[in-house]
Amino acid sequence: MWWEEVEPTLKVAVRGTYESVMPRFRPLLKMRLQDIRLTDMENLVRNETKFVGKNIKTVLGKVFDYAVHHEFVAADRRELVRHIQLSDEQSRKVERKIFTWEEEAKITEPELLILLYTGLRVGELINLRQEDIHLDERWFFVRKAKTKTGIRKVPIAEKIVPLFSCIPTELRYED
């Protein structure tokens, strides 16, 4: 019920974050909210990164807020979410490495190459308008971004200039 009410009001990035953690709630789906215990919730975050664990806690908190507001559960049930422990071991860092020329040569999707060469977020590429792209001057303008500081001019590397003619005029997120 909570998702049906809140989903249409969410920004694309927030919706994507919430949807990315939804499959992790499968073990709780057949349970009544008042029967969910702290250990059940901690089991959801046990093998997750700290980032994903925080997102799971956020969604759980919102679901319990909704349930308390609609008097499905007592207010003290919401407090359980605050006690979910995210261990330090969950802060696994992803080791990043630079692509080799051979690895880069295997990437053929223009959208992916644009993301790699410009540092854009997927949502920023999706929101890019034709009138914001200035190929002759080798830059484009990010008009819509996740944060205010994300609104910026981005230089276009010579190597990817031709790719801007390959991308569709309307992009969409796909799973």
Side-chain angles (χ1 to χ4, degrees), residues 7-172:
E7 193 263 342
T9 67
L10 298 174
K11 292 185 177 182
V12 172
V14 175
R15 183 181 309 124
T17 299
Y18 288 1
E19 287 174 341
S20 72
V21 297
M22 293 294 194
R24 286 148 173 106
F25 292 99
R26 280 193 192 106
L28 306 182
L29 290 179
K30 301 232 185 236
M31 297 175 75
R32 296 174 349 155
L33 279 176
Q34 57 264 34
D35 295 335
I36 296 173
R37 303 286 173 243
L38 180 58
T39 54
D40 299 319
M41 293 185 230
E42 286 180 332
N43 285 338
L44 298 180
V45 300
R46 179 164 289 124
N47 296 316
E48 300 292 350
T49 63
K50 193 168 222 171
F51 177 78
V52 172
K54 286 180 180 180
N55 289 335
I56 291 170
K57 275 183 76 168
T58 298
V59 172
L60 278 171
K62 299 216 178 265
V63 168
F64 274 93
D65 286 342
Y66 180 88
V68 168
H69 177 78
H70 292 283
E71 300 179 349
F72 299 141
V73 297
D76 63 336
R77 301 296 299 160
R78 169 58 171 99
E79 292 302 310
L80 289 178
V81 177
R82 296 191 207 310
H83 296 288
I84 297 172
Q85 295 295 312
L86 303 175
S87 73
D88 290 335
E89 293 175 22
Q90 294 171 320
S91 59
R92 303 183 302 230
K93 294 206 176 197
V94 175
E95 187 177 324
R96 300 184 193 278
K97 68 178 191 114
I98 297 173
F99 282 102
T100 64
W101 292 112
E102 293 81 21
E103 290 169 328
E104 181 193 332
K106 293 177 185 175
I107 301 170
T108 57
E109 296 83 3
E111 298 87 358
L112 184 54
L113 285 166
I114 290 171
L115 292 171
L116 290 172
Y117 271 83
T118 61
L120 285 176
R121 290 183 165 99
V122 173
E124 292 170 340
L125 180 60
I126 287 172
N127 290 313
L128 199 57
R129 299 180 190 164
Q130 248 354 94
E131 63 262 23
D132 295 330
I133 302 171
H134 304 274
L135 288 179
D136 52 333
E137 298 170 15
R138 304 293 189 260
W139 67 275
F140 60 88
F141 183 66
V142 176
R143 179 181 309 274
K144 192 171 180 184
K146 184 177 178 180
T147 65
K148 287 181 183 177
T149 56
I151 297 171
R152 65 201 184 278
K153 284 185 176 180
V154 179
I156 301 173
E158 191 67 37
K159 183 172 184 165
I160 64 167
V161 168
L163 301 178
F164 279 86
S165 62
C166 299
I167 60 173
T169 54
E170 190 176 312
L171 294 171
R172 297 250 188 266

